Amino acid sequence: MLLILVSCKKEEPPVTATPETFKNGYLVLNEGLFQQNNSTLSWIDLSDHSVTENIFSSINNRPLGDTGNDLKRYGGKVYIVLNGSSTVEVLNAQTLKSIRQINLIYNQQPQQPRSIAFSGGKAYISSYDGYINVLDTVSLTITNRIAVGNNPEGVVVLGDYLYVANSGGLNFPNVDSTVFKINLNTLAIEQSFHVGANPRQLECDSQGNIYVVKQGNYSTDPAELIFINTSTNAVTNLVIPATTLFKSDQLLYISYYNFNTQQSNVSLYNLSTQTLVNNSLIPAGSIQTLYGVHALDNGDVVCFDAQGFTNSGYLKKFDANGNLLNTFSVALNPNKLIYYE
């Protein structure tokens, strides 16, 4: 919530024509600024490196909404979680036309959704009102609400369980410190792990372990990567600086932005060997304000550069050796993408 308060390659100019089909490109979610109703989607065509801005508005004749926090594809649909608007926008993945705008209002109070995960035809949406909303992805209706901790953020599915990071971010500095384990068959909380202050994002590996970013307090308690061994229930601080995670096969890409020094870093962790294999994948100074990473199947890494959070951002693509390949100018605070083959 702190973010709310507050190139060696030639950049390609944006274009305005809406593509007829979406393939060989990136669909990018730009978060915008809180309470400005300026979240947008950008389309980057990799065949000519052109950028089309405001793709959602062009296709659907209305704004996307306020503070886009998450973007994922499941089946033939794209789901966009909008925190400020308290909506989940569901799009046809091929046309990007809106199928339904789901309003997350309960007892006349906005739920402020944050993140989404999928399993067995259901979507699990964390909301700052302290609940997980269970969405049927066929009927696109909310079928259950699961009470969890304070201001849940990251969610990840591992087997028959949903893990939820309870940040307590709206109560700062009196934040939460727990990750809940929920049985998806019963929707009951079976276990709670104490992982440190302000847990935000989660990932899992094929060995049944959970990785957690605990954000700390942005000063004396640093943002670090926490390891949960679900076989022994042991919780270990790996003492690796981390603010966001992205898993690709057996590799975990860890982005870190230091709010005190304004320095950015990307490190690489091997999930199979549970070792840090590269603590500086991207050259220092290549990114001004790192807001996350997205790894591609060929080893290339796309970094989201928020440019101080109040200027138009960039996507910067690097190869596996950290060499800059492309820079794309997009909109405010890019934070997620979907790659279209």
Side-chain angles (χ1 to χ4, degrees):
M1 295 301 291
L2 177 65
L3 304 183
I4 292 173
L5 304 175
V6 287
S7 154
C8 13
K9 295 279 184 181
K10 182 179 179 182
E11 296 169 11
E12 302 291 341
V15 296
T16 56
T18 301
E20 294 181 2
T21 59
F22 295 93
K23 60 182 180 180
N24 190 29
Y26 304 143
L27 182 66
V28 182
L29 175 62
N30 304 293
E31 182 177 307
L33 293 173
F34 184 58
Q35 294 185 335
Q36 298 298 309
N37 200 35
N38 59 356
S39 295
T40 62
L41 294 179
S42 301
W43 172 255
I44 298 174
D45 190 328
L46 296 178
S47 64
D48 60 6
H49 289 179
S50 62
V51 180
T52 305
E53 297 291 5
N54 294 308
I55 197 77
F56 178 88
S57 298
S58 298
I59 293 172
N60 295 286
N61 298 311
R62 60 179 172 84
L64 176 59
D66 195 298
T67 323
N69 274 98
D70 208 356
L71 170 76
K72 287 188 174 71
R73 181 172 180 170
Y74 185 70
K77 302 183 184 79
V78 167
Y79 297 78
I80 307 170
V81 178
L82 295 130
N83 171 258
S85 297
S86 283
T87 58
V88 175
E89 194 72 54
V90 185
L91 312 180
N92 180 301
Q94 296 302 318
T95 64
L96 301 186
K97 290 183 179 180
S98 178
I99 299 171
R100 183 170 299 177
Q101 184 186 66
I102 300 168
N103 292 300
L104 293 180
I105 306 294
Y106 190 76
N107 287 338
Q108 300 183 336
Q109 295 298 315
Q111 296 177 50
Q112 295 183 274
R114 299 294 290 177
S115 302
I116 191 167
F118 302 90
S119 180
K122 304 291 185 183
Y124 300 91
I125 306 161
S126 64
S127 297
Y128 261 172
D129 68 342
Y131 284 81
I132 300 296
N133 286 288
V134 183
L135 174 73
D136 185 293
T137 61
V138 177
S139 65
L140 297 179
T141 57
I142 302 297
T143 59
N144 280 290
R145 276 167 47 86
I146 309 167
V148 289
N150 294 317
N151 312 137
E153 289 259 9
V155 285
V156 69
V157 173
L158 178 59
D160 291 330
Y161 293 94
L162 177 73
Y163 290 81
V164 181
N166 300 301
S167 72
L170 294 185
N171 297 319
F172 192 87
N174 300 313
V175 295
D176 205 326
S177 63
T178 59
V179 170
F180 283 179
K181 177 182 178 181
I182 298 172
N183 187 316
L184 292 180
N185 296 310
T186 64
L187 301 185
I189 297 168
E190 290 195 354
Q191 201 161 5
S192 177
F193 302 92
H194 288 271
V195 298
N198 204 2
R200 292 298 181 99
Q201 191 181 353
L202 304 174
E203 269 298 352
C204 61
D205 65 20
S206 60
Q207 302 172 65
N209 302 305
I210 300 293
Y211 294 82
V212 187
V213 170
K214 66 99 174 166
Q215 194 68 58
N217 63 7
Y218 305 97
S219 57
T220 57
D221 182 8
E224 293 170 315
L225 187 64
I226 308 298
F227 175 78
I228 300 175
N229 185 322
T230 59
S231 297
T232 65
N233 296 328
V235 176
T236 305
N237 187 338
L238 299 179
V239 199
I240 299 173
T243 47
T244 74
L245 306 173
F246 187 87
K247 185 182 72 171
S248 178
D249 195 18
Q250 295 302 309
L251 295 174
L252 188 66
Y253 293 79
I254 306 166
S255 75
Y256 175 64
Y257 178 70
N258 188 313
F259 290 93
N260 295 316
T261 66
Q262 285 77 56
Q263 293 180 325
S264 299
N265 184 66
V266 178
S267 53
L268 188 61
Y269 185 90
N270 189 306
L271 295 170
S272 296
T273 61
Q274 296 180 8
T275 57
L276 188 67
V277 295
N278 192 331
N279 63 1
S280 186
L281 183 64
I282 306 301
S286 299
I287 304 161
Q288 178 181 332
T289 310
L290 184 61
Y291 209 27
V293 296
H294 183 107
L296 304 172
D297 290 343
N298 65 355
D300 290 348
V301 180
V302 177
C303 296
F304 304 102
D305 191 341
Q307 293 283 302
F309 303 115
T310 56
N311 302 297
S312 294
Y314 293 94
L315 263 63
K316 297 181 179 181
K317 185 168 74 171
F318 299 82
D319 66 19
N321 297 314
N323 300 306
L324 182 62
L325 300 175
N326 301 101
T327 298
F328 303 98
S329 176
V330 287
L332 278 168
N333 300 327
N335 62 14
K336 298 288 189 306
L337 72 78
I338 298 172
Y339 170 55
Y340 279 68
E341 296 183 1

